Amino acid sequence: MPNSHRQSAKFRFAPSPNGELHLGHALSAFLNHDMAREAGGAYLVRIENIDQTRCTPALERALLDDLAWLGLSSDAPERRQSDHLSEYQAALQELERLGLTYPAFMTRGEVKALVAHSERAGNPWPRDPDGAPLYPDLDRLRPPAERARRLDAGERHAIRLDMAKAVAAAGAGLGWTETGSGEDRWITADPLAWGDIVLSRSDAPGSYQLCVIVDDAAQEITHVVRGLDLYHATAVQRLLQVLLGLPEPVYHHHRLVLDDKGEKLSKSNRSTALATLRREGFSPSDIRGLVSL
Ligand code: GLU
């Protein structure tokens, strides 16, 4: 049973400080805030700054400032991923203990070359729901002795989930309750479509997928409200929650704000940045109007 029925509702808006907030973020934050108020629950802001190569404290300050201006500051102190690295490490170790992970040595360049080679030969490479090539089988199939030798030699590697094994371990019936269409619907999850996802890299202690489920559980989030671009990622998040025995939130994926060309807004497009609109004299209620709320 989704835990929303057991405890008071908790919602979260979880931006990454790797660019300026734009109208798409405003829609998500307004919806989280409004739904939390309607449910008599809490609205929490989480700073998803696990990718320290792209996230900066200055961008974090700017996004908190934008949210304060919109009247969307967190009901409790913000959770910041960089403060919780040991929790992601513990989740990773548990998946390792369950025998569901393996070290992945291929570089991005090697994967790209392999995919290009296969496609030039007329064999289309399978892709995940975001269109990225699935990780090749090679590392999963490496003989244990070779794996041990490369680890002993200190070779750089990521940790990946053995997806087929993980899905088998989770058992049948994997899915989630989706309320984005206005009614409660049960969605069957298909995590196999993502292949062997990355759980941690040598330069990032946790991947988005690993950190997000640890954070949602730690903050006792009952309702995950976010853009439709993360709809398919939910399959992986439900899988990891089941494997780690974490509670199941309700999911609500909302429409995306699109630009004039019908494309999803990007962080590099300054014209829809909240800071720009604010400088141009738009008010918080104008911003609500711009995202059709
Ligand atoms: N940090 C993600 C983003 O900015 C959101 C993750 C989530 O809501 O699950 O797109």
Side-chain angles (χ1 to χ4, degrees), residues 12-18 21 25 28 32 46-49 81 208-209 212 216 224-227 229-230 233 237 251 253 264 267:
R12 90 308 194 264
F13 172 57
S16 297
N18 57 12
L21 293 191
H25 297 105
S28 211
N32 271 286
R46 176 162 82 225
I47 305 296
E48 296 209 331
N49 66 347
Q81 288 183 325
Y208 159 66
Q209 294 282 29
V212 77
D216 284 338
V224 172
V225 177
R226 60 187 178 192
D229 50 339
L230 289 167
Q237 292 169 27
Y251 288 87
H253 291 94
K264 196 185 136 192
K267 287 191 170 166

Side-chain angles (χ1 to χ4, degrees), residues 129 163 167 170-178 185-194 231-242 248 251:
M163 185 57 86
V167 167
L174 197 67
W176 75 89
T177 302
E178 172 69 47
R185 287 176 59 206
W186 180 253
I187 308 295
T188 300
D190 177 22
L192 285 169
W194 290 93
Y231 182 89
H232 291 290
T234 313
V236 172
Q237 292 169 27
R238 286 292 302 122
L239 172 67
L240 295 176
Q241 285 162 353
V242 168
E248 174 189 347
Y251 288 87

Side-chain angles (χ1 to χ4, degrees), residues 1-8 247-248:
M1 175 167 79
N3 61 5
S4 57
H5 300 293
R6 276 186 259 124
Q7 34 182 247
S8 66
E248 174 189 347

Side-chain angles (χ1 to χ4, degrees), residues 109-171:
E110 284 167 348
V111 173
K112 222 171 147 184
L114 188 67
V115 171
H117 182 263
S118 162
E119 296 198 325
R120 266 198 311 274
N123 304 313
W125 193 274
R127 309 227 158 212
D128 70 22
D130 283 348
L134 298 194
Y135 193 69
D137 292 335
L138 293 169
D139 281 319
R140 180 170 17 83
L141 301 176
R142 271 188 215 290
E146 184 197 337
R147 202 175 262 173
R149 181 178 51 70
R150 294 176 73 160
L151 289 176
D152 285 349
E155 215 175 293
R156 265 169 87 94
H157 63 279
I159 302 292
R160 286 188 176 261
L161 186 70
D162 181 331
M163 185 57 86
K165 239 187 191 179
V167 167

